[in-house]
Structures are given as C-alpha cells and as structure tokens.
Amino acid sequence: MEIRADTQMPLRIARVLDVAEGIRSFELVQPDGTELPPFTPGSHIGVQTPGGAVRKYSLCNDPGERHRYVITVKRDPNGQGGSISMHDEAHAGDVLATSPPDNAFPLVDNARAYLFIAGGIGITPILSMIRSFAGLPAAPWKLHYLTRSPESTAFADELMRPQLRRHVHIHHDHGDPEKSFDLWPALEKPNTAHIYCCGPRPLMESVRDMTGHWSPANVHFESFNEGGGVKPDDQPFKIRLARSGLEFDVPVGKSILATLREHGCNAPSSCESGTCGTCRTTLLSGDADHRDMVLMPEELSERIMICVSRARSPELVLDL
Ligand code: FES
C-alpha cells in the first residue's frame, strides 16, 4: 500500500490509549481541528508509521463522528516493524501521513441479520459496525469475539455494557487450540444473515470452509495481510500476459499485482489482501498457489486473485 502524494492527509495524534495487553488506540485529528472526510463502517485508512512503513488500519470509532479517526494497533514482535514503530515511536502530538478512508469490507445496510466473527485485533472493523448501530433499530446481530485471554481482549468493557452484552459472546482459548471455540453450530444452517469475519488467517480459513454452503454474497472477510505476506518456501516465478506477450519476473515478497504496476500495467484492485474479489483474473496455464478468501473450489483451476496468490509452477499465463 502506498500513500499517494496527491491525496495524502497529515493527521495529528490527539490521544494514545492502551486498550488491552499490547494493544493501543490512536485518536487522529486534523491539525487545524476541522472535520475529517466521512467514512462508512468497515473502512480503513493507510498510515505511514514513524519508521516509514505504510500500514492499513481499520477505523474503529463510530462513523458518525466527524472530528476524529480512531485506529487500534496490536504490537506484533514478529511482524515487519509497522506495529512496533506505532507502539514505540508514535506519540500524542506527532503528525502522521495518512490516506483517506477506503472500504473493502462494507456493511450491507439492509441485512435481515448480522453474524460478526472477530479474532483478536480483528475486532476493529467490526467495532465500527457495531458502534454504527448505536441508537438505531438494527437488524438482529450477534458477535463471537475470540481472543487468547481477558487481558488481551480490547474493548471488552464496552462490549459487555448492558445494551450490548446480550449480543456478544467472548471466548478465550488461552493459546490452546483444543480450547478454540466451535463455530459450526452457528454456521451449520445457512440463512439470510450476513457474516462478517476478521481475524487471523486460520480463523478466516476455517470460517470460509464452514460457510461453503452459504451464499457467497452473504459472507464477508477482511484481512490485513496485504500482498499475501511472505511464506518461508516462497519462490520467484514468471508471469506471461497472453494478450500482449509481455513477461515479468515476480520476486519473493512482491505480489503479481505489484509487479504488474511496477511495469506500468494497470489491473483493478481494492482490498489487496485477497478478500474483496476485485482483482479476479483468468488463469490460462500454470499451477497457482491460491492465498485468497474468495475463490470457490470450482474456480481454482481457472482463476487467480493476483493481489495475494503466487505460483507453484515456474510460470503462470494470465489472460491479461
Ligand atoms: Fe481484493 Fe484482490 S484486490 S481480492
């Protein structure tokens, strides 16, 4: 993700608040105190961390608020440094470059019911959705909020307030996979509810596997794993664009989409994390290493989400 110079918004950190163990909220405001561009539930902004990396963070405050954005960041000691920089180097009063709100996880506003599934810091976009219901006769909703322990559960006090607690189920697994919550009873019978899931990859994959019999239009995922992340056995590979005959090398650590852009080829994208479906591309040959959350099993041999997926074969041929 990049912050484009022509749309960049410098925002001042007005307040920093520890909301759980290793999890910190940052309230961002216009330096001159004016209103911010509006946002919808599920939106994110890009933030250039003090260390220089650009990261995508969900806005977790009520979208009705016009003078602040609130982002919440979990310090990840094994990450690539963005969250560590935010925790260790971003202080109240500092000004950070940001990009305006964008939404790849929009809340369907006429759903008959909502089922929210949040794993850990994945609560952030869902919190803005729940907060947007305040004072409104929202459709029935339920939140399963899965975290490691009470200490690592951000916003538990708010979610356990009398108005919300009947909708909210919080489960702690204490790091023991044997104690993970069984979502199957909630997902076994498809219905007209819209499911919103955000959290660690294994949780989202498990929800995807358990919702194969739901309408795909009713199941929504949000991931912050831009470009699909790097896996230890990733290899470079080639892509060939069948229509132009152009060939490019895709190195480790760079997505097909980023490689195309680098060479001046435009391809539509939105989430850039394999969850929205915008970059669906026809795969003409080659063995794809699918890393998205949107393709159905029957599409895997002929389609690829170029923002996150890679190759198991030395070359992929794309219908571009
Ligand atoms: Fe959203 Fe690729 S841009 S799935």
Side-chain angles (χ1 to χ4, degrees), residues 248-269:
F248 304 121
D249 292 315
V250 182
V252 172
K254 187 166 280 188
S255 67
I256 297 173
L257 180 68
T259 302
L260 289 172
R261 287 206 179 124
E262 191 180 80
H263 291 91
C265 305
N266 272 328
S269 74

PDB file of all heavy atoms in Angstrom, residues 248-269:
ATOM      1  N   PHE A 248       7.073 -11.012 -17.073  1.00  0.00           N
ATOM      2  CA  PHE A 248       7.707 -10.347 -15.930  1.00  0.00           C
ATOM      3  C   PHE A 248       8.103 -11.376 -14.888  1.00  0.00           C
ATOM      4  O   PHE A 248       7.442 -12.406 -14.723  1.00  0.00           O
ATOM      5  CB  PHE A 248       6.746  -9.342 -15.281  1.00  0.00           C
ATOM      6  CG  PHE A 248       6.209  -8.310 -16.225  1.00  0.00           C
ATOM      7  CD1 PHE A 248       4.838  -8.187 -16.431  1.00  0.00           C
ATOM      8  CD2 PHE A 248       7.069  -7.460 -16.916  1.00  0.00           C
ATOM      9  CE1 PHE A 248       4.339  -7.238 -17.307  1.00  0.00           C
ATOM     10  CE2 PHE A 248       6.566  -6.506 -17.791  1.00  0.00           C
ATOM     11  CZ  PHE A 248       5.189  -6.399 -17.987  1.00  0.00           C
ATOM     12  N   ASP A 249       9.162 -11.039 -14.163  1.00  0.00           N
ATOM     13  CA  ASP A 249       9.554 -11.868 -13.017  1.00  0.00           C
ATOM     14  C   ASP A 249       8.841 -11.348 -11.778  1.00  0.00           C
ATOM     15  O   ASP A 249       8.829 -10.136 -11.522  1.00  0.00           O
ATOM     16  CB  ASP A 249      11.067 -11.772 -12.791  1.00  0.00           C
ATOM     17  CG  ASP A 249      11.826 -12.438 -13.922  1.00  0.00           C
ATOM     18  OD1 ASP A 249      11.422 -13.557 -14.312  1.00  0.00           O
ATOM     19  OD2 ASP A 249      12.787 -11.832 -14.422  1.00  0.00           O
ATOM     20  N   VAL A 250       8.289 -12.269 -10.994  1.00  0.00           N
ATOM     21  CA  VAL A 250       7.661 -11.892  -9.721  1.00  0.00           C
ATOM     22  C   VAL A 250       8.586 -12.379  -8.604  1.00  0.00           C
ATOM     23  O   VAL A 250       8.689 -13.581  -8.345  1.00  0.00           O
ATOM     24  CB  VAL A 250       6.266 -12.542  -9.566  1.00  0.00           C
ATOM     25  CG1 VAL A 250       5.625 -12.091  -8.253  1.00  0.00           C
ATOM     26  CG2 VAL A 250       5.380 -12.200 -10.745  1.00  0.00           C
ATOM     27  N   PRO A 251       9.262 -11.470  -7.942  1.00  0.00           N
ATOM     28  CA  PRO A 251      10.198 -11.914  -6.904  1.00  0.00           C
ATOM     29  C   PRO A 251       9.483 -12.296  -5.608  1.00  0.00           C
ATOM     30  O   PRO A 251       8.308 -11.976  -5.421  1.00  0.00           O
ATOM     31  CB  PRO A 251      11.085 -10.680  -6.692  1.00  0.00           C
ATOM     32  CG  PRO A 251      10.245  -9.525  -7.100  1.00  0.00           C
ATOM     33  CD  PRO A 251       9.256 -10.016  -8.126  1.00  0.00           C
ATOM     34  N   VAL A 252      10.189 -12.911  -4.720  1.00  0.00           N
ATOM     35  CA  VAL A 252       9.666 -13.188  -3.376  1.00  0.00           C
ATOM     36  C   VAL A 252       9.410 -11.843  -2.691  1.00  0.00           C
ATOM     37  O   VAL A 252      10.213 -10.910  -2.815  1.00  0.00           O
ATOM     38  CB  VAL A 252      10.699 -14.025  -2.569  1.00  0.00           C
ATOM     39  CG1 VAL A 252      10.263 -14.155  -1.115  1.00  0.00           C
ATOM     40  CG2 VAL A 252      10.877 -15.393  -3.206  1.00  0.00           C
ATOM     41  N   GLY A 253       8.269 -11.748  -2.023  1.00  0.00           N
ATOM     42  CA  GLY A 253       7.964 -10.510  -1.293  1.00  0.00           C
ATOM     43  C   GLY A 253       7.224  -9.493  -2.121  1.00  0.00           C
ATOM     44  O   GLY A 253       6.911  -8.404  -1.624  1.00  0.00           O
ATOM     45  N   LYS A 254       6.947  -9.804  -3.389  1.00  0.00           N
ATOM     46  CA  LYS A 254       6.176  -8.866  -4.222  1.00  0.00           C
ATOM     47  C   LYS A 254       5.031  -9.627  -4.871  1.00  0.00           C
ATOM     48  O   LYS A 254       5.207 -10.762  -5.314  1.00  0.00           O
ATOM     49  CB  LYS A 254       7.096  -8.249  -5.284  1.00  0.00           C
ATOM     50  CG  LYS A 254       6.434  -7.144  -6.070  1.00  0.00           C
ATOM     51  CD  LYS A 254       7.456  -6.336  -6.865  1.00  0.00           C
ATOM     52  CE  LYS A 254       8.145  -5.322  -5.969  1.00  0.00           C
ATOM     53  NZ  LYS A 254       9.005  -4.396  -6.674  1.00  0.00           N
ATOM     54  N   SER A 255       3.866  -9.014  -4.920  1.00  0.00           N
ATOM     55  CA  SER A 255       2.699  -9.691  -5.499  1.00  0.00           C
ATOM     56  C   SER A 255       2.705  -9.556  -7.018  1.00  0.00           C
ATOM     57  O   SER A 255       3.412  -8.715  -7.591  1.00  0.00           O
ATOM     58  CB  SER A 255       1.419  -9.087  -4.928  1.00  0.00           C
ATOM     59  OG  SER A 255       1.291  -7.751  -5.375  1.00  0.00           O
ATOM     60  N   ILE A 256       1.866 -10.376  -7.653  1.00  0.00           N
ATOM     61  CA  ILE A 256       1.693 -10.246  -9.108  1.00  0.00           C
ATOM     62  C   ILE A 256       1.170  -8.846  -9.422  1.00  0.00           C
ATOM     63  O   ILE A 256       1.640  -8.176 -10.342  1.00  0.00           O
ATOM     64  CB  ILE A 256       0.705 -11.318  -9.630  1.00  0.00           C
ATOM     65  CG1 ILE A 256       1.260 -12.720  -9.390  1.00  0.00           C
ATOM     66  CG2 ILE A 256       0.402 -11.093 -11.102  1.00  0.00           C
ATOM     67  CD1 ILE A 256       0.285 -13.848  -9.723  1.00  0.00           C
ATOM     68  N   LEU A 257       0.204  -8.396  -8.620  1.00  0.00           N
ATOM     69  CA  LEU A 257      -0.382  -7.070  -8.848  1.00  0.00           C
ATOM     70  C   LEU A 257       0.682  -5.975  -8.766  1.00  0.00           C
ATOM     71  O   LEU A 257       0.776  -5.101  -9.634  1.00  0.00           O
ATOM     72  CB  LEU A 257      -1.477  -6.826  -7.798  1.00  0.00           C
ATOM     73  CG  LEU A 257      -2.208  -5.502  -7.869  1.00  0.00           C
ATOM     74  CD1 LEU A 257      -3.060  -5.412  -9.125  1.00  0.00           C
ATOM     75  CD2 LEU A 257      -3.092  -5.311  -6.637  1.00  0.00           C
ATOM     76  N   ALA A 258       1.502  -6.043  -7.733  1.00  0.00           N
ATOM     77  CA  ALA A 258       2.551  -5.020  -7.566  1.00  0.00           C
ATOM     78  C   ALA A 258       3.551  -5.100  -8.718  1.00  0.00           C
ATOM     79  O   ALA A 258       4.055  -4.074  -9.197  1.00  0.00           O
ATOM     80  CB  ALA A 258       3.250  -5.209  -6.221  1.00  0.00           C
ATOM     81  N   THR A 259       3.830  -6.316  -9.180  1.00  0.00           N
ATOM     82  CA  THR A 259       4.764  -6.475 -10.296  1.00  0.00           C
ATOM     83  C   THR A 259       4.186  -5.855 -11.563  1.00  0.00           C
ATOM     84  O   THR A 259       4.888  -5.146 -12.310  1.00  0.00           O
ATOM     85  CB  THR A 259       5.040  -7.981 -10.520  1.00  0.00           C
ATOM     86  OG1 THR A 259       5.553  -8.526  -9.304  1.00  0.00           O
ATOM     87  CG2 THR A 259       6.023  -8.200 -11.647  1.00  0.00           C
ATOM     88  N   LEU A 260       2.891  -6.097 -11.808  1.00  0.00           N
ATOM     89  CA  LEU A 260       2.258  -5.511 -12.996  1.00  0.00           C
ATOM     90  C   LEU A 260       2.326  -3.993 -12.925  1.00  0.00           C
ATOM     91  O   LEU A 260       2.658  -3.315 -13.904  1.00  0.00           O
ATOM     92  CB  LEU A 260       0.794  -5.965 -13.073  1.00  0.00           C
ATOM     93  CG  LEU A 260       0.569  -7.439 -13.431  1.00  0.00           C
ATOM     94  CD1 LEU A 260      -0.907  -7.797 -13.288  1.00  0.00           C
ATOM     95  CD2 LEU A 260       1.028  -7.719 -14.865  1.00  0.00           C
ATOM     96  N   ARG A 261       2.013  -3.446 -11.752  1.00  0.00           N
ATOM     97  CA  ARG A 261       2.009  -1.980 -11.603  1.00  0.00           C
ATOM     98  C   ARG A 261       3.398  -1.396 -11.838  1.00  0.00           C
ATOM     99  O   ARG A 261       3.557  -0.363 -12.457  1.00  0.00           O
ATOM    100  CB  ARG A 261       1.544  -1.617 -10.201  1.00  0.00           C
ATOM    101  CG  ARG A 261       0.086  -1.838 -10.041  1.00  0.00           C
ATOM    102  CD  ARG A 261      -0.449  -0.924  -8.957  1.00  0.00           C
ATOM    103  NE  ARG A 261      -1.865  -1.144  -8.855  1.00  0.00           N
ATOM    104  CZ  ARG A 261      -2.475  -1.490  -7.737  1.00  0.00           C
ATOM    105  NH1 ARG A 261      -1.790  -1.597  -6.623  1.00  0.00           N
ATOM    106  NH2 ARG A 261      -3.767  -1.682  -7.726  1.00  0.00           N
ATOM    107  N   GLU A 262       4.363  -2.112 -11.321  1.00  0.00           N
ATOM    108  CA  GLU A 262       5.740  -1.630 -11.458  1.00  0.00           C
ATOM    109  C   GLU A 262       6.123  -1.488 -12.936  1.00  0.00           C
ATOM    110  O   GLU A 262       6.946  -0.654 -13.296  1.00  0.00           O
ATOM    111  CB  GLU A 262       6.653  -2.651 -10.774  1.00  0.00           C
ATOM    112  CG  GLU A 262       8.070  -2.222 -10.579  1.00  0.00           C
ATOM    113  CD  GLU A 262       8.829  -3.347  -9.881  1.00  0.00           C
ATOM    114  OE1 GLU A 262       9.220  -4.319 -10.574  1.00  0.00           O
ATOM    115  OE2 GLU A 262       8.984  -3.282  -8.666  1.00  0.00           O
ATOM    116  N   HIS A 263       5.483  -2.324 -13.771  1.00  0.00           N
ATOM    117  CA  HIS A 263       5.793  -2.278 -15.201  1.00  0.00           C
ATOM    118  C   HIS A 263       4.746  -1.493 -15.987  1.00  0.00           C
ATOM    119  O   HIS A 263       4.621  -1.643 -17.201  1.00  0.00           O
ATOM    120  CB  HIS A 263       5.918  -3.704 -15.758  1.00  0.00           C
ATOM    121  CG  HIS A 263       7.139  -4.413 -15.244  1.00  0.00           C
ATOM    122  ND1 HIS A 263       7.133  -5.191 -14.109  1.00  0.00           N
ATOM    123  CD2 HIS A 263       8.416  -4.422 -15.695  1.00  0.00           C
ATOM    124  CE1 HIS A 263       8.346  -5.657 -13.896  1.00  0.00           C
ATOM    125  NE2 HIS A 263       9.151  -5.218 -14.831  1.00  0.00           N
ATOM    126  N   GLY A 264       3.970  -0.706 -15.262  1.00  0.00           N
ATOM    127  CA  GLY A 264       3.027   0.189 -15.940  1.00  0.00           C
ATOM    128  C   GLY A 264       1.746  -0.478 -16.403  1.00  0.00           C
ATOM    129  O   GLY A 264       1.002   0.103 -17.192  1.00  0.00           O
ATOM    130  N   CYS A 265       1.477  -1.715 -15.957  1.00  0.00           N
ATOM    131  CA  CYS A 265       0.234  -2.391 -16.353  1.00  0.00           C
ATOM    132  C   CYS A 265      -0.791  -2.185 -15.249  1.00  0.00           C
ATOM    133  O   CYS A 265      -0.539  -2.528 -14.097  1.00  0.00           O
ATOM    134  CB  CYS A 265       0.455  -3.902 -16.530  1.00  0.00           C
ATOM    135  SG  CYS A 265       1.756  -4.295 -17.682  1.00  0.00           S
ATOM    136  N   ASN A 266      -1.921  -1.660 -15.627  1.00  0.00           N
ATOM    137  CA  ASN A 266      -2.965  -1.418 -14.633  1.00  0.00           C
ATOM    138  C   ASN A 266      -3.873  -2.618 -14.495  1.00  0.00           C
ATOM    139  O   ASN A 266      -4.237  -3.240 -15.463  1.00  0.00           O
ATOM    140  CB  ASN A 266      -3.807  -0.212 -15.035  1.00  0.00           C
ATOM    141  CG  ASN A 266      -3.191   1.058 -14.490  1.00  0.00           C
ATOM    142  OD1 ASN A 266      -2.580   1.029 -13.422  1.00  0.00           O
ATOM    143  ND2 ASN A 266      -3.326   2.136 -15.236  1.00  0.00           N
ATOM    144  N   ALA A 267      -4.229  -2.950 -13.267  1.00  0.00           N
ATOM    145  CA  ALA A 267      -5.211  -4.008 -13.023  1.00  0.00           C
ATOM    146  C   ALA A 267      -6.073  -3.516 -11.871  1.00  0.00           C
ATOM    147  O   ALA A 267      -5.559  -2.909 -10.928  1.00  0.00           O
ATOM    148  CB  ALA A 267      -4.510  -5.308 -12.659  1.00  0.00           C
ATOM    149  N   PRO A 268      -7.389  -3.753 -11.943  1.00  0.00           N
ATOM    150  CA  PRO A 268      -8.253  -3.261 -10.868  1.00  0.00           C
ATOM    151  C   PRO A 268      -7.964  -3.961  -9.547  1.00  0.00           C
ATOM    152  O   PRO A 268      -7.648  -5.154  -9.531  1.00  0.00           O
ATOM    153  CB  PRO A 268      -9.667  -3.579 -11.358  1.00  0.00           C
ATOM    154  CG  PRO A 268      -9.505  -4.613 -12.405  1.00  0.00           C
ATOM    155  CD  PRO A 268      -8.125  -4.487 -12.968  1.00  0.00           C
ATOM    156  N   SER A 269      -8.072  -3.228  -8.460  1.00  0.00           N
ATOM    157  CA  SER A 269      -7.866  -3.827  -7.136  1.00  0.00           C
ATOM    158  C   SER A 269      -8.592  -2.974  -6.112  1.00  0.00           C
ATOM    159  O   SER A 269      -8.947  -1.827  -6.385  1.00  0.00           O
ATOM    160  CB  SER A 269      -6.378  -3.904  -6.779  1.00  0.00           C
ATOM    161  OG  SER A 269      -5.897  -2.617  -6.460  1.00  0.00           O
TER     162      SER A 269
END
